[in-house]
Amino acid sequence: MDKLIIEGGNRLIGTVEISGAKNAVLPLMAASLLTDGQTRLTNVPKLRDIETFKKLLVHMGCEVFSDSDNRTLTICADNVTRPEAPYELVKTMRASILVLGPLVARFKRARVSLPGGCTIGARPVNLHLMGLEKMGARVSIEHGYIVVEAEKLTGAHIYLDQPTVTGTENIMLAAVYAEGETTIENAAMEPEITALASALNRMGADISGAGTDTIKITGTSELRATEHRVIYDRIEAGTFMIASAITTGNVLIKNCPIEHLDSLVAKLKEAGTEITEEEDGVRVVGQWPIRSVDIKTYPYPGFPTDMQAQIMTMMSVAGGLSVITETIFENRFMHVAELKRMGADITVDGRNAIVKGVDRLSGAPLMATDLRASASLVLAGLVADGTTIISRIYHLDRGYEDIEKKLKALGARIERIRSEERF
Ligand code: EPZ
């Protein structure tokens, strides 16, 4: 397995370009299952999760062509012979659950492995299944698989106990072919939801309210494959904002979807970071000392849980006391133990982490545990005294395209050691 080696202490200076959003591409790849013809996605990042989803589509019988040079993906779902997602693929990427809605909508049946939990929490999918049942599907769990059958889907009024992102997406992807109107109450409002609804409407669907907590979908009989450009990744952008802030850097972030980052920008400014919009990007200038701020994660537009680990690293070297509360996932503090091995002063009490800023972190051998925790360890390595070695960085490769190249271009001393090389 590859490792990253980082020598801390350099300020990040220069320009970085943000890639397309992982969490926007995956539902669009699922949406391609709804129609015959060629779905074309542009601005697609090169990420492990997208390779996994491609394998899943091919397993079902789709033809998938990717031109990584210009980041284009073409999917043809004319011959889906196996409406199923096997455990071997689902266990490596829980977002595979997103094929459930479109498969049931178009083929009236699906067999998808139950995604297990993951390091950050149990991650149940009960709300996904409740939505499909409300639309008339029969759902059973057989030998670790979700088996769904439906003569037809009928529009329903669905209230979500929690604003689940992929749950909202799955229900939308099913409701586009349901007879009549479906209303999703307490829907997730993430930008990726709005992007998916716009894409489905371009395909001929009739969806309104995306981006609010109430989405209405009027079913239709046929959609047509078309082209979609993937929105930029707000979490990658947020991660680079913190990379500049924590190294007292001066970084111009191009393709930065700042309109999707209000809560993070507000908190970074509260911590003393200078953030200004320029003609060709967003400039982030770190100030020292960093002011400690309190954080509470919430569904969009609240502070994103996917930025919690990264801002915790920043608070670890801030000038005071910060309380970070994780309200979304029950076990999303896996990065704390690793940060403490670098000298961070963090105490976890249930859903709260109390972070007392220290003057310096010290480099250490670390282990990545999940995607965003990995990013927080990279950020820590950038500012730590000495050498940080991060193993199991396949977690990182799931959601960040060429992160070490982008950081190196900004002046970071960071190298990837390929697994076959002795270290
Ligand atoms: C999406 O996961 C993202 N993944 C996650 O990003 C992100 O952390 C999460 O939303 C929250 O923003 C993708 O979009 C592919 P949820 P998702 O369903 O949809 C509970 C990353 O780092 N819940 O919104 O799986 C659940 O337990 C990943 O890129 C139920 O109880 O998250 C959690 O507490 C990590 N029943 C809360 O809702 C359900 O049926 C939010 O989960 C579904 C969810």
Side-chain angles (χ1 to χ4, degrees):
M1 286 181 273
D2 293 3
K3 296 176 191 284
L4 283 180
I5 298 184
I6 307 169
E7 291 299 331
N10 283 16
R11 296 179 61 216
L12 298 190
I13 310 279
T15 300
V16 65
E17 287 203 21
I18 298 305
S19 303
K22 164 177 88 82
N23 291 350
V25 185
L26 300 178
L28 290 177
M29 293 176 81
S32 72
L33 288 165
L34 287 167
T35 70
D36 280 344
Q38 293 207 339
T39 294
R40 191 172 142 85
L41 305 181
T42 60
N43 194 36
V44 176
K46 290 179 282 187
L47 298 171
R48 279 172 69 106
D49 274 7
I50 287 157
E51 291 310 306
T52 305
F53 214 107
K54 280 159 61 176
K55 283 183 196 145
L56 179 56
L57 292 173
V58 169
H59 171 86
M60 291 183 212
C62 296
E63 289 179 281
V64 182
F65 309 96
S66 52
D67 178 344
S68 57
D69 293 346
N70 60 17
R71 302 172 192 288
T72 299
L73 199 52
T74 304
I75 302 164
C76 179
D78 291 18
N79 304 307
V80 172
T81 50
R82 283 189 295 193
E84 63 169 52
Y87 175 66
E88 293 66 37
L89 287 172
V90 176
K91 71 180 179 183
T92 63
M93 184 190 63
R94 40 178 315 97
S96 309
I97 188 77
L98 283 168
V99 303
L100 198 57
L103 289 177
V104 175
R106 186 172 170 208
F107 303 105
K108 305 297 182 279
R109 64 191 175 92
R111 184 172 173 274
V112 174
S113 168
L114 257 178
C118 75
T119 49
I120 66 176
R123 315 276 308 263
V125 292
N126 59 309
L127 300 177
H128 298 237
L129 306 184
M130 176 274 289
L132 293 175
E133 285 178 318
K134 286 254 184 183
M135 286 189 265
R138 285 185 309 286
V139 176
S140 59
I141 306 295
E142 297 169 20
H143 309 294
Y145 277 75
I146 304 164
V147 179
V148 186
E149 292 172 343
E151 276 69 52
K152 68 172 182 173
L153 293 178
T154 308
H157 191 107
I158 298 164
Y159 175 79
L160 295 175
D161 304 21
Q162 288 199 270
T164 158
V165 174
T166 49
T168 302
E169 290 166 347
N170 234 337
I171 293 166
M172 256 177 22
L173 287 163
V176 289
Y177 279 153
E179 260 180 36
E181 182 170 272
T182 297
T183 303
I184 307 174
E185 297 273 12
N186 197 26
M189 301 189 270
E190 272 69 5
E192 293 77 22
I193 302 263
T194 308
L196 175 63
S198 305
L200 289 168
N201 283 339
R202 271 196 300 279
M203 294 166 68
D206 178 1
I207 301 174
S208 59
T212 74
D213 62 2
T214 303
I215 300 176
K216 288 190 187 303
I217 305 111
T218 303
T220 181
S221 56
E222 188 161 2
L223 298 174
R224 62 188 172 282
T226 181
E227 177 169 320
H228 312 290
R229 179 170 175 73
V230 176
I231 61 172
Y232 289 108
D233 193 323
R234 59 195 169 95
I235 304 301
E236 184 193 18
T239 305
F240 276 96
M241 283 182 160
I242 292 184
S244 181
I246 199 171
T247 60
T248 55
N250 185 329
V251 175
L252 181 69
I253 301 178
K254 299 181 83 167
N255 310 327
C256 177
I258 191 163
E259 66 281 8
H260 298 155
L261 287 163
D262 288 352
S263 56
L264 175 68
V265 168
K267 282 297 174 180
L268 290 179
K269 287 182 172 177
E270 196 183 324
T273 308
E274 275 178 32
I275 300 173
T276 47
E277 292 186 66
E278 297 184 0
E279 196 173 318
D280 52 354
V282 174
R283 186 167 298 280
V284 180
V285 179
Q287 301 298 321
W288 200 264
I290 293 167
R291 285 197 291 271
S292 293
V293 296
D294 292 341
I295 300 289
K296 191 172 270 192
T297 65
Y298 274 119
Y300 193 88
F303 190 93
T305 173
D306 291 351
M307 286 301 305
Q308 178 257 106
Q310 298 93 309
I311 203 156
M312 185 181 290
T313 295
M314 183 175 168
M315 292 298 107
S316 299
V317 290
L321 206 62
S322 158
V323 179
I324 298 179
T325 305
E326 172 57 58
T327 70
I328 309 287
F329 292 112
E330 66 269 28
N331 191 35
R332 201 168 198 175
F333 285 146
M334 299 291 282
H335 42 286
V336 170
E338 297 303 287
L339 291 173
K340 289 175 77 164
R341 297 183 60 247
M342 301 177 81
D345 181 347
I346 306 170
T347 306
V348 171
D349 173 16
R351 292 286 186 118
N352 298 312
I354 296 95
V355 185
K356 188 175 181 310
V358 296
D359 292 339
R360 298 289 287 176
L361 296 175
S362 58
L366 306 172
M367 191 184 303
T369 52
D370 59 87
L371 170 53
R372 305 305 171 181
S374 321
S376 75
L377 302 183
V378 172
L379 294 171
L382 294 176
V383 295
D385 277 335
T387 306
T388 297
I389 302 147
I390 305 173
S391 59
R392 298 192 179 179
I393 57 165
Y394 56 85
H395 290 292
L396 200 61
D397 294 335
R398 292 188 47 200
Y400 288 94
E401 179 178 8
D402 295 336
I403 192 167
E404 76 271 12
K405 288 181 189 154
K406 292 183 178 182
L407 287 170
K408 203 169 179 179
L410 293 170
R413 286 176 290 172
I414 182 169
E415 295 296 337
R416 177 185 288 252
I417 297 293
R418 300 283 175 200
S419 50
E420 64 277 1
E421 287 175 19
R422 271 191 55 69
F423 172 77

